[in-house]
Amino acid sequence: MTAIPHSRAASARRTAAPVLALLALILSALIVAPAPARSDVVDPPKLIAELGNRTLAILHETAPDSSSRFGRFHALVAEKFDVPLLARFVTGRFWDTATDAERHRFTVAFSNYVTELFTARFSHYTKQSFAIVGARDEPDGTAIVSSEIVEPNAASGDRVDWRVAKTGTGLKITDVSVSGVSVAQAKRAEFGSLLARSRGGIAGLAAALETRSARQTETAKGD
């Protein structure tokens, strides 16, 4: 093997020294420094507080029944709610017998339906404030976050409870209770009754929701 002359070896060591020092600095920083926090990791009260603040912002910045308002609410619902889980829950046993295509169609239609419910529920709030008034952990691993929408100069407001669960894509809302009544349970009973009486299954229910959305869209255009 050919030996490297002493002068060349010394020069190589001098050249490599700064590189090795930089690598050592980087490795030590990786080992010592904590991992950066994920921006989507929040606790349940923060999730609901952000939802409330963004909801009021949409109401202030868009016109009623506008496509802009619906579009922004739809994006908010998709981001904060576990719509696929809710779609499975409200259809109960009928979900199990549906095809993948039927499930997908219903989930899309149901997402629009949830957005319409959410928009209608909060559309009359314009000057109110949104406040978190409590939170508790549930035995099933979910959390209940209680909120109030308070009128100006009022001592208390409308109370809404939000059930929040950990999912593979972060914290998501899996139910909403208004005056102690679960919306998910109420829709499961309503849809279950409709599905039991019809022969169309989930596809038929999806078609009914699509017709409802189209009718509301046409009504909004005519206003």
Side-chain angles (χ1 to χ4, degrees):
M1 183 174 72
T2 304
I4 300 175
H6 178 74
S7 59
R8 289 175 57 192
S11 176
R13 286 196 297 272
R14 286 194 300 270
T15 302
V19 176
L20 292 175
L22 179 60
L23 288 174
L25 180 63
I26 294 172
L27 288 173
S28 65
L30 292 174
I31 294 171
V32 175
R38 290 173 53 191
S39 59
D40 60 338
V41 176
V42 296
D43 59 38
K46 288 182 180 178
L47 176 77
I48 302 305
E50 181 186 356
L51 175 77
N53 292 333
R54 286 173 62 180
T55 295
L56 293 178
I58 292 172
L59 295 175
H60 292 156
E61 297 166 6
T62 60
D65 297 326
S66 67
S67 59
S68 175
R69 173 172 290 190
F70 182 85
R72 289 178 63 179
F73 268 128
H74 192 276
L76 187 60
V77 166
E79 178 185 339
K80 301 300 183 185
F81 286 75
D82 193 339
V83 175
L85 175 68
L86 287 167
R88 292 196 301 272
F89 180 78
V90 298
T91 51
R93 60 186 176 86
F94 295 93
W95 182 269
D96 298 331
T97 58
T99 66
D100 288 343
E102 290 171 340
R103 292 171 180 173
H104 175 73
R105 180 183 178 185
F106 177 78
T107 301
V108 172
F110 183 69
S111 178
N112 290 330
Y113 178 72
V114 171
T115 302
E116 290 162 6
L117 291 180
F118 189 80
T119 305
R121 170 65 190 174
F122 292 97
S123 62
H124 64 283
Y125 297 118
T126 54
K127 299 180 180 179
Q128 293 77 1
S129 61
F130 187 91
I132 303 299
V133 296
R136 69 177 187 274
D137 294 329
E138 294 290 282
D140 62 359
T142 63
I144 301 295
V145 180
S146 298
S147 66
E148 279 189 349
I149 300 175
V150 185
E151 298 280 351
N153 303 318
S156 61
D158 295 337
R159 180 157 176 160
V160 180
D161 293 328
W162 312 81
R163 184 178 294 273
V164 179
K166 294 179 181 178
T167 73
T169 55
L171 294 175
K172 299 286 185 179
I173 298 164
T174 58
D175 195 9
V176 182
S177 295
V178 181
S179 300
V181 178
S182 162
V183 174
Q185 292 285 357
K187 292 303 170 183
R188 181 183 174 96
E190 177 186 343
F191 288 165
S193 178
L194 292 173
L195 287 165
R197 294 198 306 267
S198 72
R199 295 182 179 180
I202 286 180
L205 183 56
L209 295 181
E210 290 164 354
T211 300
R212 179 182 183 275
S213 294
R215 188 180 301 119
Q216 291 193 348
T217 300
E218 287 302 316
T219 300
K221 287 180 180 178
D223 292 341

